[in-house]
Amino acid sequence: MPVAPLPIVVLISGSGTNLQAIIDAIESGQLNARIKAVISNRPGVKGLERAEKAGIAAKVLDHKNYETRESFDLALQQLIDSYAPELVILAGFMRILSEDFVNHYNGRMLNIHPSLLPDFRGLNTHQRVLDAKRKEHGVSVHFVTNELDSGPLVLQAVIDINKNDTADSLAKRIHKQEHIIYPMAINWFAEGRLTYNNKQTYLDNQIINKPPKWINNQLEY
Ligand code: GRF
């Protein structure tokens, strides 16, 4: 029996290239999901245009109209829940989330972070990786918990750093990887292959201790 598409809500703050990759993967049949709404905390961003173009509800909830983080997060939670998603996707959503919000979506919120977590949490990861003279860089999909950029890992993509790479070139190369692995991880969840219980992730019922890695266009387990 065909499985119904997974209802998702995507949160963005900017250009939304990951959102676009998710839209494209759904349209091409690679991702069995349905985006119920795209919500941005910033008005006028490109990601909202992308949503509208794809015929998806595009909503703005401007954090500047709220006095506290908690009041914004509560309004956001209510807006998200009005679409009854089974999974919430953070795709370049540039906000620190309050504890209650994160707990509310425990096990049903994913983020993508441009580093090989647990290394290089936070911002400016590409420059920091270069400064640290690393040979490899990457990007991680993880469930969101209350520690910043450190929830249980689901999937990573890894690239070699070339001697001519700059922060800009790495950003571009990493973005390409993001657009492959984020739809892939969401589809695992949609198919029931990816599950989460008590801060532990499972793929096909096996505990994910070390996340699968997407390297040179293939998955390594
Ligand atoms: C990506 O680099 C992602 O890893 C980070 O925010 C950026 C979003 O880019 N969390 P875009 O808006 O999807 O283009």
Side-chain angles (χ1 to χ4, degrees):
M1 247 200 14
V3 181
L6 180 80
I8 62 177
V9 165
V10 182
L11 305 188
I12 60 165
S13 301
S15 81
T17 64
N18 279 284
L19 165 67
Q20 189 65 55
I22 294 165
I23 293 172
D24 294 347
I26 292 172
E27 280 176 2
S28 71
Q30 281 170 290
L31 168 55
N32 187 22
R34 180 153 174 244
I35 305 177
K36 304 288 289 285
V38 169
I39 304 172
S40 171
N41 66 311
R42 290 194 190 129
V45 297
K46 178 86 193 276
L48 288 165
E49 252 175 62
R50 296 178 193 274
E52 274 162 15
K53 209 166 160 199
I56 299 164
K59 301 281 165 185
V60 176
L61 194 70
D62 191 338
H63 61 275
K64 294 201 186 103
N65 297 335
Y66 294 82
E67 279 189 7
T68 62
R69 183 175 303 284
E70 285 69 25
S71 61
F72 171 75
D73 283 4
L74 188 58
L76 179 60
Q77 184 180 310
Q78 284 165 352
L79 182 59
I80 294 170
D81 288 352
S82 71
Y83 293 98
E86 283 177 34
L87 189 66
V88 175
I89 305 296
L90 305 182
F93 189 60
M94 303 302 282
R95 296 274 307 165
I96 291 177
L97 302 167
S98 57
E99 208 175 319
D100 286 353
F101 182 90
V102 171
N103 291 340
H104 180 73
Y105 296 106
N106 182 36
R108 35 192 202 115
M109 182 156 59
L110 291 179
N111 184 39
I112 190 158
H113 178 79
S115 80
L116 291 173
L117 290 173
D119 292 346
F120 304 105
R121 297 177 174 131
L123 297 173
N124 302 323
T125 56
H126 311 303
Q127 188 57 51
R128 286 161 58 210
V129 164
L130 287 174
D131 292 346
K133 305 214 180 323
R134 292 293 174 96
K135 295 199 164 66
E136 282 187 337
H137 187 25
V139 56
S140 308
V141 176
H142 65 96
F143 281 95
V144 178
T145 58
N146 271 307
E147 299 100 280
L148 182 71
D149 297 330
S150 57
L153 292 169
V154 172
L155 172 60
Q156 294 181 317
V158 183
I159 60 168
D160 286 330
I161 299 180
N162 304 325
K163 67 175 186 330
N164 296 328
D165 267 319
T166 61
D168 273 356
S169 69
L170 283 180
K172 287 202 185 90
R173 293 178 60 210
I174 288 293
H175 250 114
K176 279 195 189 146
Q177 302 297 313
E178 295 186 8
H179 301 159
I180 298 169
I181 68 165
Y182 214 3
M184 192 184 286
I186 297 166
N187 196 49
W188 288 351
F189 191 95
E191 289 180 330
R193 294 181 60 197
L194 172 67
T195 53
Y196 174 98
N197 188 23
N198 200 15
K199 294 205 173 179
Q200 181 66 63
T201 43
Y202 299 79
L203 185 61
D204 300 329
N205 297 318
Q206 304 283 320
I207 286 188
I208 301 179
N209 283 323
K210 281 201 334 200
K213 290 195 166 61
W214 181 255
I215 307 178
N216 295 329
N217 288 319
Q218 42 181 16
L219 266 183
E220 288 184 10
Y221 290 90

